[in-house]
Amino acid sequence: MNIVVLIKQVPGSTEIKVDPKTNTLVRDGVEAIVNPFDTYAVEEAVRLKEAQGGTVTVLTMGPPQAAEALKQALSVGADRAILVSDRAFAGADTLATSFTLAAAIRKTGGADIVIAGKQTLDGDTGQVGPEVAMHLKLPFATYVKKIESADGGKLRVERLVEDGYEVLELPTPCVITVVKEINEPRLPSLRGIMAAKKAEIVTWSAADLGEDAKRFGLSGSPTQVVETYVPERVKTGEMITGTVEQQVDRLVEKLKETGVL
Amino acid sequence: MDYQLTEEQQMIRDLARTIAEEKVLPVRAELDEKEEFPTEIMKVMGDSDLFRVFVPEEYEGMGGGVLDECLIIEEISRVCGGVALSYAATLLGTIPILLFGNEEQKQDVLPKIAAGGLAAFALTEASAGSDASNIQTTAVKDGDDYIINGTKQWITNGGNASYYTVIAMTDKDKGSRGASAFIVEAGTPGFTYGKKEKKMGIRSSSTTELIFDNCRVPVKNLLSKEGMGFIVALKTLDLSRPGVAAQAVGIAQGAFEEALKFAKERQQGGQPVIQYQAVQHMLADMAMQVEAARALTYAAARTIDAGAKSYSKEASMAKCFASDVAMRVATDAVQVMGGHGYMREYPVEKMMRDAKITQIYEGTNQIQRNVIAANLIKETLR
């Protein structure tokens, strides 16, 4: 079984800061981590491989330093890592990102199952997984909390919904995104870390993907970020002071003003 | 301080720290309270290859040195000295095989330890503590077997280890030259576990009696030769003492960090207590002592790793100094935190209880001073 796992390197969750002048995320000096939801995707893929054989390929789109995130996935059992990296990919929204990732998945030779985290910590959209499925014209299930079975060209999963879970059956190949309830990711082993350190990360550029370059990056993104800002806190309360009589008078006055009385 | 650790050593340390903070920290108080053996954590450490570090590569290990070991023990001890002991005692039980095992014994045991199996070392008896030559357990040769009889006391990992290195008398008339070392597997008929001790500290670690009642062990389980038992024991302890030192450094570091954090948060007289010079000086002294203990421990480990032929003085210095520091720093951590420090809700009272054993086991600190002094005298005679 060939499994492709989509991961993303994101700023460490506890340290997100916004530059007050430019209103953009401060990334300098901020620890980069593997998007936590993706670690469950990697673990689930490795477990499937351990149970059924096959290979696990981790794939990410990002700057060259995102290779570190791929190495982390290799240290916990992924077999192969591909970094899709090019200045042409910069400024991609979820559509351009998923288009790029789908092209890369095709270039790997395709997968029986594509697994991603339910969303990323920084973008938070939850769109990339399903969009990849649409680009590849594959069935998908989001918020998967359990893979009940994966054999006979079928995947049976439990999908988390607000008041319980749904059981879905999908033909493979297919795409799923997973929630943290699905497993407890293992810690790396020393031998895994050392092997990952030495491992070669395959890097593909825009040209390597052989697609219409206009569909990558900013030019392939119908949504544009106009502004990023921290919402202003508006103080709405008013402390009423004075003697009890004065306070009651002021309160009644206020309530009449607002039409409550 | 920059201890010039290699990239590999930093990886080992970082992985051990991750395990300590993610797997040990959430359960340490409960393990202590319930006196529960950390079975799951040992499995995680095994799966993470930490037991491979001290096993040579030809036996499925990673061929690391004493310093590599010390880094692991220190990081786990920084969070819990008791959990760290279950790991460190496996090293202690494995050293006799590493140093004195023949090829067959190594092939048999070491790959299983490398994969996360536990070991134990059994020297102490009711009447043979610091006076280890007074061992009463006997091993009598009978055909292709030795028949072991006697009771070992206070054996760390007792009941949890798969392999036990046991020191027994094969010839009582020869005194200390009549002792021999044996590998005894768990489950061997005639080998059972006795009383499980209730301890002041390191309570997640198991400490039991080992009872040998006509226990037959094949001759091939004899380590080295008959009569080598005490040499095996002494060389084993020399090599394992930096590990006790590292445990002590870790406990001290953990206690110091708790005290520092508390002193910055605790408000008294309108300011954090760290603003008071009395507290500042205590923390400064603690920091200095921990760093000095660490430096001596790493230096002793590096001396051994560099291939020194004799290192009992260096190993004893590190063990004695670091464990005295651990006791002092943990006690001061409780003092800095005052009433809070004394409460079980905070971790430093446990660290103080855990620290105490490091001054006692693998040779009391009084015995360590004897060893150091004996080496000093020997050196002047050269």
Side-chain angles (χ1 to χ4, degrees), chain B residues 132-309:
Chain B
S133 63
N134 195 32
I135 284 175
Q136 302 298 315
T137 298
T138 56
V140 178
K141 199 167 177 186
D142 180 47
D144 292 337
D145 295 331
Y146 281 94
I147 302 172
I148 303 179
N149 276 292
T151 301
K152 293 288 174 184
Q153 184 179 251
W154 301 338
I155 304 309
T156 304
N157 283 355
N160 293 97
S162 308
Y163 293 96
Y164 298 79
T165 305
V166 179
I167 310 293
M169 303 304 293
T170 39
D171 190 346
K172 271 196 167 177
D173 298 339
K174 287 190 184 161
S176 64
R177 289 184 184 175
S180 302
F182 299 90
I183 304 168
V184 183
E185 272 189 66
T188 305
F191 169 32
T192 53
Y193 312 109
K195 184 174 72 157
K196 188 181 173 196
E197 302 292 344
K198 292 191 164 294
K199 304 188 293 294
M200 172 196 265
I202 52 163
R203 285 156 52 103
S204 66
S205 162
S206 72
T207 309
T208 68
E209 286 178 331
L210 307 184
I211 299 166
F212 298 95
D213 180 14
N214 287 318
C215 173
R216 280 184 175 269
V217 171
V219 169
K220 70 177 173 68
N221 286 22
L222 173 69
L223 275 168
S224 186
K225 291 180 294 195
E226 270 195 26
M228 284 289 283
F230 271 104
I231 306 285
V232 170
L234 293 177
K235 294 282 180 196
T236 295
L237 291 170
D238 280 352
L239 195 52
S240 79
R241 276 174 186 142
V244 181
Q247 183 191 24
V249 171
I251 294 170
Q253 175 71 33
F256 164 70
E257 286 176 24
E258 290 293 338
L260 180 64
K261 186 175 78 179
F262 182 87
K264 284 162 74 179
E265 286 166 2
R266 171 71 171 166
Q267 298 276 334
Q268 283 294 279
Q271 58 182 359
V273 296
I274 200 167
Q275 296 297 332
Y276 296 101
Q277 195 179 46
V279 174
Q280 288 175 3
H281 284 190
M282 285 182 82
L283 290 167
D285 279 332
M286 291 157 77
M288 271 192 280
Q289 292 176 73
V290 174
E291 212 58 66
R294 181 179 289 118
L296 183 57
T297 301
Y298 289 8
R302 284 193 156 122
T303 300
I304 300 170
D305 288 340
K309 284 205 181 84

Side-chain angles (χ1 to χ4, degrees), chain B residues 238 241 245 296 300 310-324 362-382:
Chain B
D238 280 352
R241 276 174 186 142
L296 183 57
S310 162
Y311 44 77
S312 63
K313 182 181 78 175
E314 291 78 2
S316 287
M317 282 178 162
K319 189 272 185 189
C320 185
F321 187 84
S323 58
D324 283 349
E362 295 198 28
T364 63
N365 281 6
Q366 287 64 38
I367 290 290
Q368 304 308 317
R369 289 178 168 91
N370 288 355
V371 171
I372 296 163
N375 275 282
L376 294 177
I377 293 164
K378 204 162 75 184
E379 283 164 15
T380 60
L381 296 177
R382 271 183 199 152

